[in-house]
Structures are given as C-alpha cells and as structure tokens.
Amino acid sequence: LKKMTAYSWPILIAGIAYTTNENLDKLLLEDWLGKSTMGAYAGAYKIGVIMSLFIMAFRLGAEPFFFNHAQEKNAPKTYAIILKWFTIVGAAFVLIIVGYMNFIAKIFLGSQEYYTALSIVPIILIANLFLGIYNNLSIWYKLTDKTRYGMYISVLGALITVGLLFLLIPKIGFMGAAWATLGAYGSMMIISYFLGQKHYPVPYDLKKISLYLVLSISLSCLSFLKFQGNFIINTLLIILFIGSIVFFEKKELTKIITKKNQS
C-alpha cells in the first residue's frame, strides 16, 4: 500500500492540474465575456473531442503494452516507433478535421450561433495532439517510478494556463483561451521530452516527427485560411499529406505488409 500510494499520489495531483487546464478557460470566459461567448467557445471546443477520443483510446491500449515490454532490450526503439506512428495518425486527424470542419460543425454544433468560435478549432486540435505526444513521452516517469515528475510538469502546465489566460483573454478574447491551451500542452510536451531523455533515453525520430507536425500544421492553416468549405481542395491536401507519409515511410510500410502477408 505504501509503495502504491507513493507511486499514485503525484498522478492524482497531475490529474487535478489537467482538469484545471481543460476547464478554467470556460469558467473565466463566462465571467469575463459572458455566457454567449463561452457557449460559442465551448461548442467549438467540442470538435476537439474527436482528437481527445483518439488519444484516450490510444492510452488505454498503449500503456499496458509499454509496461509489458519494459524489460525487453529493444523496448526504447519500440516506443520510438510507436510515437512516430501516433504522431502520423494524429497529424492526419488534425488535417482531416480542419479540412471537413464545416461538415463536422453541422453535426456537433447545429446552431449557427456557435460558428463564431470555429477559429479556435485548429489551435485546440494541435494542442490536443501535443497532449497526446506528451502522454506518449510520459511513459519514462511511469516506468522509472518517478511519477513526481509528472506532477511537476502538469502543475507547471496549469500555471502556464492560468498565466496565459489572464494575460491573453482581456486582449484577444476567446482566442486567448485557445492559445493558452496550446502553450500549456506544448510546453509540457517539450519539457517531458528533455527530462525523459535524461532519465530514460528513447531514440525518437525527431526529424520525421517534426516534419509530419510541420506539414500537417502548414496544410491545416492553408486549408482553414484559404480553402475553408472547399471539400475538393481540402481532400487534395489530405491526399498530399497521406502521399507524403507513404513516400517517407515506404520501407517501414513494406516491412509491415511483408510480415502481415507471411503471417
């Protein structure tokens, strides 16, 4: 019980900090900008739930796998491959949701009143992708029983959220809340990577991960700013991204297909 408690209580604090990151923005928006603005923001925020569901499903399957394979010699290499493909799938989700956002908004939002906050959607999607990457990276402190670092990182993320909310919302309204979420999760991701490489080195392919993130974010910005509602162009952008993945990962995809055929 003592060992279990020592392992788990920092995760409890980290969970509280995560709740702060997810909900404080909506509370402040209601107080500062009114219920209608908060409603529009919360409505548009729902679209980011698609990414959150993907992250949650991945965590439920991946964390037991991480622990089961922790003692294997090639475990770090396996974790690196998993993060790369998680990033690829997550980056594809971002581009697909942004590309078909008008269609998705009709399903999730309904009323046109909520459309005023659609500009937060790309930012929230990228923030949630960073959170998903952070969850992947965080395996180092769980495997090494150093969960207190997860608490430190999450509390720091909450402090960044609070600071940016108070700084940005009075200046740029609900967009400030979206940027605060991105800033918090992006900071947590970066800090966890550097701490993880110190305590539990994993050979992550940063070049390709960065490439896919930059490509997805760039195409998503192009889609949202220039071709919003143009399903043909947005579909072509998605095909371009997927084609790039196939081109850069051709060798690995060939190995996967070969093994599958042999089995």
Side-chain angles (χ1 to χ4, degrees), residues 147-165:
T147 52
R148 66 182 185 279
Y149 283 99
M151 177 184 67
Y152 299 151
I153 295 170
S154 295
V155 170
L156 178 61
L159 292 175
I160 292 173
T161 297
V162 172
L164 290 177
L165 286 175

Side-chain angles (χ1 to χ4, degrees), residues 59-128:
R59 286 187 66 182
L60 291 174
E63 287 200 357
F65 176 86
F66 288 151
F67 282 101
N68 288 336
H69 290 74
Q71 302 303 321
E72 296 183 4
K73 291 182 179 180
N74 64 339
K77 185 177 180 181
T78 302
Y79 299 158
I81 294 173
I82 290 173
L83 178 61
K84 183 181 71 173
W85 283 99
F86 172 86
T87 304
I88 288 172
V89 176
F93 263 111
V94 171
L95 183 56
I96 291 170
I97 296 170
V98 172
Y100 301 133
M101 187 165 58
N102 286 12
F103 174 74
I104 295 172
K106 291 180 181 179
I107 299 173
F108 277 78
L109 304 183
S111 175
Q112 292 284 337
E113 295 177 1
Y114 298 113
Y115 281 45
T116 56
L118 281 181
S119 54
I120 72 167
V121 172
I123 301 172
I124 295 300
L125 288 171
I126 296 167
N128 282 331

Side-chain angles (χ1 to χ4, degrees), residues 223-238:
S223 171
F224 181 77
L225 297 174
K226 297 292 183 181
F227 302 110
Q228 189 177 358
N230 190 328
F231 292 141
I232 295 176
I233 298 296
N234 289 329
T235 300
L236 291 175
L237 293 176
I238 294 168

